[in-house]
Amino acid sequence: MTRQSPVTVHDKADPDTVAIRWLGHAVQLLDQRRLPAEEHWLTIEGAAGVAQAIRDMAVRGAPAIGISAAYGVALSARCADESDWQQEVRTAIDQLAESRPTAVNLFWALQRMRGVLDQCQSRTDAVSRLAETAVTIHREDLAANIAMADLAVDAMELKKPCSVLTHCNTGALATGGYGTALGVVRKLHQERLLKRVYADETRPWLQGARLTAWELARDRIPVTLNADGAAAAILAKGDVKWVIVGADRIAANGDVANKIGTYGLAVLARHHKVKFMVVAPASTVDMSVASGRDIPIEERAGDEICQFGGIRVAPEKVDAFNPVFDVTPADLIDLIVTERGVVHTPEMTGMHQLFE
Ligand SMILES: CSC[C@@H](O)[C@@H](O)C(=O)COP(=O)(O)O
């Protein structure tokens, strides 16, 4: 098969950071397990490799998982046998769906790819149409992030610069580019409305320390890293006016599943009268789940807590509980910003009009 030049899905509004590249015969993922020490790109030529990269968190962040999975489906058509291509692509979709349970963007992207597959007449047709659709999903995500940043900054109605606090990594690394909550931070910085962003380190995987701090420092956006346990003391000082986070799945009632620790942060924000905003594309909204209670929450190995940098820090044989997401109830959230518009919670004005 012919090799194509890389498709880089970004435009002028996008900063340098790109984490997913489509080569036509392969997808390249910036290995997020090795950041910030090393910028190492994985080149993956099949769906099984993409599923493994998602499971092992070489690529992570809800939108980035969906985009990578879409490229995985496109690769499965390239690798498929002429006689059994439809079944092979369906099997790849099922395999990708098993990779991580909470971020609904994965299932959203796979469903969209399956819809295209069902219309393909031949393997050649599938190879080109599935690749085109994956690139479209990638491009649309970047465009959604840029639109959300504009909507969010307008909705904040700031009269003067303020500081914000964020959790996990929601930037270019976690998305098709620019970022969701970090896209808002970028826009605030560009509009000279940002004093400083506090980044929770985000135990145990340290997305905040390893990824958010890296992205923001690269773009010269003033960032201060803090231990998760310091968030209460930071909010108590009064300088932070908004907590801004992303989401892995938003239920029909506005409950939000996001990185473990988000719920605690929302409780703290309410206590300190700090506004709480969730920024996520429409592909993160799951109207088929009535409330957060119905969202599957991933639990990962206890070793992620018992070890630090590969060195065991907990006693041998201690039990560890490692849910990697939690659910923030809608009534603790002030705004949910999507590219389709802003939902004011807890009244939920707009949610059904925007998403049904
Ligand atoms: C734009 S990313 C939004 C969420 O996916 C993000 O906040 C998050 O929880 C990521 O979790 P991760 O376990 O790193 O995939």
Side-chain angles (χ1 to χ4, degrees), residues 167-187:
H167 192 66
C168 195
N169 171 265
T170 61
L173 294 169
T175 65
Y178 202 63
T180 57
L182 274 202
V184 178
V185 168
R186 287 188 207 287
K187 182 78 184 171

Side-chain angles (χ1 to χ4, degrees), residues 57 59-63 65 100 103 167-171 174-175 179-181 205 207 211 245-248 257-260 262 279 281 298 300 324-325:
M57 293 177 66
V59 60
R60 34 64 51 203
I65 291 171
R100 287 190 80 187
H167 192 66
C168 195
N169 171 265
T170 61
T175 65
T180 57
W205 212 76
Q207 287 92 334
L211 309 177
V245 297
D248 287 81
N258 191 47
K259 181 51 55 193
I260 192 76
T262 304
V279 187
E298 178 182 8
R300 294 182 71 88
V324 299
F325 300 99

Side-chain angles (χ1 to χ4, degrees), residues 21-266:
R21 286 192 208 133
W22 176 237
L23 301 187
H25 70 284
V27 64
Q28 286 192 314
L29 302 174
L30 181 58
D31 190 342
Q32 301 192 28
R33 297 164 300 183
R34 289 160 83 154
L35 288 171
E38 212 184 332
E39 288 178 44
H40 175 79
W41 286 86
L42 301 169
T43 301
I44 302 172
E45 299 194 355
V50 175
Q52 191 181 337
I54 295 172
R55 197 175 312 112
D56 296 346
M57 293 177 66
V59 60
R60 34 64 51 203
I65 291 171
I67 294 162
S68 305
Y71 284 129
V73 177
L75 290 172
S76 74
R78 278 183 78 87
C79 301
D81 199 84
E82 206 64 58
S83 61
D84 199 23
W85 59 275
Q86 273 165 316
Q87 191 46 45
E88 285 186 36
V89 178
R90 283 198 191 104
T91 303
I93 290 175
D94 292 345
Q95 195 179 21
L96 285 156
E98 292 292 310
S99 56
R100 287 190 80 187
T102 303
V104 76
N105 310 60
L106 171 67
F107 309 101
W108 171 88
L110 293 175
Q111 195 177 337
R112 190 159 161 187
M113 296 300 280
R114 192 191 294 268
V116 173
L117 173 71
D118 290 346
Q119 293 164 12
C120 292
Q121 303 298 323
S122 65
R123 193 185 74 91
T124 314
D125 186 27
V127 168
S128 67
R129 288 175 69 179
L130 291 173
E132 270 167 34
T133 308
V135 171
T136 302
I137 287 173
H138 194 168
R139 290 212 161 106
E140 285 176 359
D141 189 68
L142 172 59
N145 291 339
I146 292 164
M148 289 188 293
D150 289 345
L151 287 170
V153 171
D154 282 352
M156 288 167 84
E157 295 180 340
L158 294 174
K159 303 277 181 282
K160 56 181 185 169
C162 73
S163 293
V164 304
L165 185 142
T166 192
H167 192 66
C168 195
N169 171 265
T170 61
L173 294 169
T175 65
Y178 202 63
T180 57
L182 274 202
V184 178
V185 168
R186 287 188 207 287
K187 182 78 184 171
L188 286 171
H189 177 67
Q190 191 188 322
E191 300 288 320
R192 299 182 191 279
L193 287 169
L194 181 74
K195 277 208 242 169
R196 172 154 302 279
V197 52
Y198 289 91
D200 277 355
E201 64 170 345
T202 318
R203 283 276 286 149
W205 212 76
L206 300 176
Q207 287 92 334
R210 297 191 308 100
L211 309 177
T212 299
W214 179 76
E215 270 195 46
L216 293 177
R218 242 172 156 229
D219 290 343
R220 301 184 199 286
I221 296 175
V223 56
T224 299
L225 183 64
N226 59 273
D228 297 331
I234 292 168
L235 297 193
K237 284 209 266 176
D239 187 35
V240 169
K241 301 297 181 213
W242 284 86
V243 172
I244 310 178
V245 297
D248 287 81
R249 197 183 294 223
I250 302 175
N253 71 342
D255 290 350
V256 168
N258 191 47
K259 181 51 55 193
I260 192 76
T262 304
Y263 175 27
L265 211 47

